């Protein structure tokens, strides 16, 4: 408790240090307790979004608000539903003296093929976090996976292939003087352990 209540920090930049100041909010980056505290802190927001009944569902399961680490994804079936969900988030942020970063937030509209003709209309929609508009994008990399507005998996597959090739090259460079069969086993073991 003392680690969070009496936490003084300072900024270091190019060898110069600021004065110490009290950090009164947020969780410690990389802290073992941070994910748990984040979950406790955001739980009421997730419950509120679920009870609003306006996000997306799979069967009877609410999937309109997906939270992982310090990320929150809102999934809505319509522009008006998303605006209501963003309003709930804004109200929560005001009540608990926090803010959502609109500069880091993106809005991606995914339509089934039968509705692709609506895409130009939706690109003109204005979604805001607080008073700040969110950027509209046609693809976005979230948690290492590329999601596209046309629901095409090709960019994600290419991203995963590139990542795999980079990891293999890293292993091969580290063990460059080994026999080929040892390198192959090392790469396979590396990928097995990483999965």
């Amino acid at each position: 408790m003392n680690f969070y209540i009496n936490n003084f920090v300072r900024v270091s930049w190019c060898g110069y240090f600021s004065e110490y100041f009290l950090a009164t909010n947020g969780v410690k980056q990389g802290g073992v307790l941070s994910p748990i505290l984040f979950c406790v802190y955001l739980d009421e927001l997730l419950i509120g979004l679920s009870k609003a009944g306006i996000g997306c569902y799979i069967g009877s399961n609410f999937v309109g608000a997906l939270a992982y680490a310090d990320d929150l994804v809102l999934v809505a079936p319509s522009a008006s539903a998303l605006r209501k969900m963003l309003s709930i988030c804004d109200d929560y942020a005001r009540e608990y003296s926090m803010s959502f970063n609109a500069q880091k937030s993106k809005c991606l509209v995914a339509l089934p093929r039968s509705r692709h003709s609506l895409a130009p209309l939706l690109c003109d929609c204005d979604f805001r976090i607080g008073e700040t508009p969110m950027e509209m994008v046609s693809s976005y990399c979230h948690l290492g996976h590329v999601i596209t507005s046309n629901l095409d998996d090709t960019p994600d597959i290419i991203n995963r292939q590139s990542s795999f090739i980079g990891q293999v090259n890293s292993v091969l460079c580290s063990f460059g003087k080994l026999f080929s069969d040892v390198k192959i086993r090392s790469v396979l073991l590396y990928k097995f352990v990483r999965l």
Side-chain angles (χ1 to χ4, degrees):
M1 185 81 126
N2 191 44
F3 186 60
Y4 275 89
I5 292 174
N6 297 316
N7 183 37
F8 285 87
V9 295
R10 66 180 178 170
V11 177
S12 170
W13 187 64
C14 295
Y16 295 96
F17 296 93
S18 72
E19 296 294 322
Y20 282 97
F21 58 94
L22 183 64
T24 57
N25 61 8
V27 294
K28 309 293 179 221
Q29 185 74 25
V32 176
L33 190 57
S34 296
I36 296 167
L37 292 175
F38 178 78
C39 288
V40 169
Y41 198 73
L42 274 194
D43 193 50
E44 191 174 327
L45 172 61
L46 298 174
I47 291 169
L49 287 165
S50 176
K51 285 184 177 178
I54 51 176
C56 287
Y57 287 81
I58 295 177
S60 61
N61 297 311
F62 178 70
V63 294
L66 307 172
Y68 179 78
D70 63 348
D71 287 335
L72 177 63
V73 175
L74 300 179
V75 184
S78 67
S80 62
L82 181 57
R83 285 193 185 93
K84 289 176 187 173
M85 294 174 80
L86 288 169
S87 176
I88 291 169
C89 290
D90 285 340
D91 293 343
Y92 184 85
R94 270 191 300 282
E95 183 177 349
Y96 290 95
S97 301
M98 63 177 279
S99 62
F100 293 100
N101 190 337
Q103 269 66 44
K104 287 186 176 181
S105 301
K106 309 292 182 219
C107 184
L108 184 138
V109 176
L111 295 169
R113 286 191 182 103
S114 61
R115 302 277 190 173
H116 273 249
S117 60
L118 297 175
L121 299 173
L122 293 172
C123 290
D124 293 333
C125 287
D126 183 37
F127 299 103
R128 296 176 175 267
I129 297 175
E131 298 300 316
T132 308
M134 292 171 49
E135 178 186 357
M136 298 292 286
V137 296
S138 59
S139 68
Y140 187 71
C141 187
H142 180 67
L143 301 176
H145 294 280
V146 179
I147 303 165
T148 64
S149 59
N150 62 0
L151 306 175
D152 182 10
D153 289 334
T154 304
D156 188 49
I157 292 168
I158 292 169
N159 183 46
R160 296 285 90 212
Q161 286 173 334
S162 298
S163 176
F164 175 72
I165 291 168
Q167 291 169 359
V168 168
N169 284 332
S170 176
V171 170
L172 293 177
C173 287
S174 298
F175 302 102
K177 296 181 181 182
L178 297 176
F179 294 112
S180 295
D181 62 328
V182 175
K183 287 182 194 178
I184 291 169
R185 278 188 254 147
S186 297
V187 168
L188 293 175
L189 178 62
Y190 176 77
K191 282 310 292 178
F192 176 73
V193 170
R194 296 270 300 185
L195 294 176

